[in-house]
């Protein structure tokens, strides 16, 4: 078996020439989504659940807020009595947490703090800034509206209402809501285990001194980080030599996990064997080229029931193609929907000129000086230039049909989620 033989049957006959990145991403979502079965779950403390996907519903333990709650420091009043120029006798105070038993009597007001319960018969809270004190009396300066500065009991949620649902990703707000209702342990989907296998005869361990023409395995490090950010559990398998037997053995090992991500070995070179080895192991491919730069030779298939990604080995290509194609698969394998790409619109601050035909993802910096974000591509030496990427907080998208883009044009940028 040679790679060229397989490339013929994969690249030319059964697959369309080249997909756009949106189409390729759509294939991943379609294929991995089809296999979205029940996930293994695990019960996790709310302190440790950040980034996990919820596998249960969470309901309120009571109404929220549980009482009519003041949103200001001020005075609880009957709004009809607190007209401009009116004086009301202040007969006490209510702090947050105080038990409020007594109703407000006519002609009086009660000093009240933010978060405290509004007494019965009071229908408004007047901010302290809009009043003045005269002995035991409070003078009001503006008309009070019924309901002002009060969040009514039960207005945020009813009792036993579902407030978090299966498939939701737990960020800090979701965790706070779980904590608010006393859900201190949460049933979550287990993080999908994503095998990472780099390939290449030139690749050495990161703690070794490379020979003059060797390189350290930085891709395994960036991929592990990207898997973590995407919500997966990286399983780093090391590096496979550009030999069919070594690749076969290590791919076999990788297929024991929920998904397999390879770097390198998917271009047109004589030693780019990944696709042919996968094919021999029964893979079905959905794309093996995408109309993007960097990242054109990216491969996606299903092999023995597992999603497999062959990402090109140049570090920036590996990073970009991971974000475009692997991240949504990890979402789906976690029991969540695929998150949209973090694309935003910006104003181009410097003209660009790129070869048409491919969508370019150029390392760039977006800055928010005025009301409209401004973006500028950074100088770089191509897809091997990791140093350039460390100065970037996004990728500037140059559409395939655009050779030139002028200053002031409205453009799309793909944010780097880890630094923005
Ligand atoms: P390939 O896609 O296998 O043709 O690899 C393209 C280039 O990417 C190689 O020549 C290396 O310079 C670089 N590369 C490949 N694998 C790695 C890796 N694991 N870590 C860092 N760079 C890599
Ligand atoms: Mg290689």
């Amino acid at each position: 078996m040679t790679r060229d033989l397989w490339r013929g049957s994969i690249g030319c006959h059964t697959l369309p020439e080249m997909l756009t990145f949106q189409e390729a991403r759509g294939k991943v979502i379609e294929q991995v989504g089809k296999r979205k079965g029940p996930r293994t779950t695990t019960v996790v403390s709310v302190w440790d659940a950040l980034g996990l996907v919820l596998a249960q519903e969470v309901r309120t333990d009571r109404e929220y807020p549980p009482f009519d709650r003041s949103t200001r420091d001020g005075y609880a009043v009957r709004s009809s009595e607190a007209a401009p120029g009116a004086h009301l006798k202040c007969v006490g105070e209510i702090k947050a947490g105080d038990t409020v038993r007594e109703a407000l009597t006519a002609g009086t007001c009660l000093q009240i703090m933010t978060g405290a319960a509004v007494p019965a018969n009071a229908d408004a809270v007047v901010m302290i800034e809009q009043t003045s004190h005269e002995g035991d009396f409070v003078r009001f300066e503006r008309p009070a509206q019924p309901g002002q500065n009060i969040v009514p009991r039960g207005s945020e949620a009813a009792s036993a209402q579902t407030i978090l649902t299966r498939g939701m990703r737990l960020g800090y707000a979701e965790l706070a809501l779980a904590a608010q209702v006393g859900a201190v342990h949460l049933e979550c989907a287990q993080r999908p285990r994503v095998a990472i296998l780099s390939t290449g005869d030139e690749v050495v361990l990161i703690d070794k001194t490379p020979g003059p023409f060797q390189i350290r395995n930085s891709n395994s490090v960036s991929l592990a980080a990207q898997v973590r950010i995407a919500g997966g559990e990286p399983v780093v398998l090391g590096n496979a030599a550009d030999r069919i037997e070594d690749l076969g053995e290590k791919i076999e090992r990788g297929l024991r996990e929920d998904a397999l991500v390879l770097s390198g070995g998917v271009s047109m070179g004589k030693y780019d064997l990944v696709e042919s080895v996968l094919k021999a192991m029964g893979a079905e491919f959905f794309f093996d080229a995408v109309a993007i730069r960097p990242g054109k030779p990216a491969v996606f298939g299903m092999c023995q029931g597992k999603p497999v990604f062959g990402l090109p080995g140049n570090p920036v290509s590996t990073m970009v193609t991971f974000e475009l194609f692997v991240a949504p698969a990890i979402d789906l394998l976690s029991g969540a929907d695929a998150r949209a790409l973090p694309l935003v619109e910006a104003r181009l601050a410097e003209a660009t000129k790129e070869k048409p035909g491919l969508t370019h993802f150029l390392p760039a910096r977006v800055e928010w000086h005025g009301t409209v974000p401004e973006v500028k591509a950074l100088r770089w030496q191509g897809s091997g230039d990791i140093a350039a990427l460390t100065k970037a907080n996004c990728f500037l998208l140059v559409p395939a049909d655009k050779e030139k883009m002028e200053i002031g044009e409205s453009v799309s940028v793909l944010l780097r989620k880890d630094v923005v």
Side-chain angles (χ1 to χ4, degrees):
M1 177 185 59
T2 71
R3 186 192 167 280
D4 295 339
L5 180 73
W6 288 115
R7 186 91 193 178
S9 66
I10 297 159
C12 304
H13 305 306
T14 56
L15 290 175
E17 260 303 278
M18 246 201 291
L19 302 180
T20 65
F21 78 90
Q22 296 96 330
E23 288 166 345
R25 205 176 136 81
K27 293 271 180 212
V28 171
I29 293 170
E30 182 190 333
Q31 291 304 321
V32 182
K34 265 191 205 170
R35 289 155 174 91
K36 195 175 157 184
R39 307 284 324 149
T40 318
T41 63
T42 163
V43 175
V44 183
S45 154
V46 76
W47 295 105
D48 301 323
L50 180 65
L52 291 177
V53 174
L54 198 58
Q56 64 163 97
E57 290 195 338
V58 175
R59 291 167 180 265
T60 51
D61 55 331
R62 54 179 179 167
E63 290 178 296
Y64 284 89
F67 48 82
D68 294 336
R69 180 177 180 276
S70 173
T71 62
R72 292 280 188 273
D73 295 319
Y75 295 93
V77 299
R78 296 161 182 246
S79 56
S80 59
E81 293 183 343
H87 287 78
L88 292 174
K89 188 171 184 193
C90 183
V91 294
E93 64 169 37
I94 310 169
K95 303 195 298 295
D98 281 355
T99 305
V100 183
R101 291 205 182 84
E102 282 174 32
L104 187 70
T105 52
T108 69
C109 63
L110 282 162
Q111 190 164 14
I112 193 165
M113 315 304 154
T114 302
V118 177
N121 294 342
D123 68 346
V125 170
V126 178
M127 288 165 70
I128 199 158
E129 294 87 337
Q130 296 171 2
T131 65
S132 51
H133 243 284
E134 292 169 11
D136 282 349
F137 283 81
V138 179
R139 183 188 148 86
F140 294 86
E141 286 155 15
R142 298 191 201 170
Q145 303 302 325
Q148 74 177 31
N149 302 323
I150 297 173
V151 182
R153 172 177 176 166
S155 62
E156 289 168 5
S159 183
Q161 184 179 327
T162 300
I163 42 158
L164 296 170
T165 52
R166 275 186 199 88
M168 276 179 100
R169 191 171 294 280
L170 297 166
Y172 54 79
E174 292 73 18
L175 292 174
L177 193 59
Q180 186 182 53
V181 302
V184 291
H185 290 102
L186 297 166
E187 191 182 349
C188 298
Q190 220 142 33
R191 292 182 187 282
R193 290 170 57 90
V194 181
I196 294 169
L197 178 60
S198 72
T199 71
D201 289 342
E202 75 280 30
V203 176
V204 301
L205 292 168
I206 58 169
D207 57 0
K208 292 280 178 297
T209 305
F213 302 105
Q214 294 179 318
I215 52 160
R216 294 192 181 93
N217 189 355
S218 65
N219 282 351
S220 287
V221 173
S222 58
L223 283 171
Q226 287 179 289
V227 166
R228 281 215 171 81
I229 292 166
E233 175 77 39
V235 180
V236 178
L237 301 181
N239 187 68
D242 292 317
R243 278 187 292 110
I244 288 169
E245 308 73 51
D246 197 31
L247 275 166
E249 259 168 47
K250 289 177 175 151
I251 287 174
E252 196 75 61
R253 165 70 189 85
L255 291 172
R256 281 188 233 148
E257 307 302 342
D258 297 312
L260 169 61
V261 179
L262 294 120
S263 90
V266 289
S267 302
M268 298 303 280
K270 186 174 166 195
Y271 295 97
D272 291 326
L273 302 168
V274 165
E275 216 173 323
S276 55
V277 171
L278 282 168
K279 178 79 182 171
M281 295 172 80
E284 183 188 355
F285 294 100
F286 300 94
F287 58 81
D288 71 349
V290 186
I292 54 173
R293 174 172 292 162
K296 187 171 137 202
V299 173
F300 163 62
M302 296 295 300
C303 190
Q304 300 172 20
K306 305 287 172 68
V308 178
F309 298 87
L311 309 182
N314 264 313
V316 181
S317 311
T318 315
M319 295 173 196
V320 168
T321 49
F322 183 97
E323 289 306 308
L324 296 178
F325 310 124
V326 188
I330 295 178
D331 281 345
L332 292 164
L333 292 169
S334 311
D337 290 335
R339 282 170 281 188
L341 281 173
L343 285 167
V344 296
E345 196 177 316
R347 182 184 172 277
L348 193 62
E350 200 175 88
T352 66
K353 188 169 184 294
E354 295 294 333
K355 212 177 125 198
L358 302 171
T359 300
H360 293 255
F361 291 81
L362 306 175
R365 265 204 93 75
V366 61
E367 309 223 330
W368 287 263
H369 295 305
T371 48
V372 183
E374 291 225 333
V375 64
K376 197 191 266 187
L378 302 172
R379 313 229 167 280
W380 73 320
Q381 298 301 321
S383 56
D385 193 351
I386 309 176
L389 206 56
T390 64
K391 300 181 183 77
N393 61 4
C394 68
F395 296 94
L396 166 62
L397 263 72
V398 183
D401 58 356
K402 281 253 178 168
E403 193 171 351
K404 283 184 187 164
M405 297 202 301
E406 306 297 342
I407 294 184
E409 262 191 60
S410 177
V411 294
S412 291
V413 304
L414 177 69
L415 296 177
R416 258 187 72 188
K417 292 179 290 201
D418 54 342
V419 296
V420 177

